[in-house]
Amino acid sequence: MLKAIADVLRAIGGAIATVVTLPFRAVARLFGGASASAHGNH
């Protein structure tokens, strides 16, 4: 029972980590390109 709960929590944690890190990666890439050219529109 506990192992099943731990597996579910691990799966949820992995999904949350992916969802949370994706926007940061996109923002980092955006700011990286923006700072290379100008400050960016927004």
Side-chain angles (χ1 to χ4, degrees):
M1 183 65 185
L2 284 176
K3 187 182 182 299
I5 295 173
D7 287 342
V8 171
L9 287 177
R10 195 176 296 120
I12 293 172
I16 290 173
T18 303
V19 171
V20 167
T21 53
L22 272 174
F24 279 112
R25 257 181 239 167
V27 168
R29 190 178 301 163
L30 239 165
F31 274 108
S35 64
S37 59
H39 283 292
N41 293 335
H42 191 272

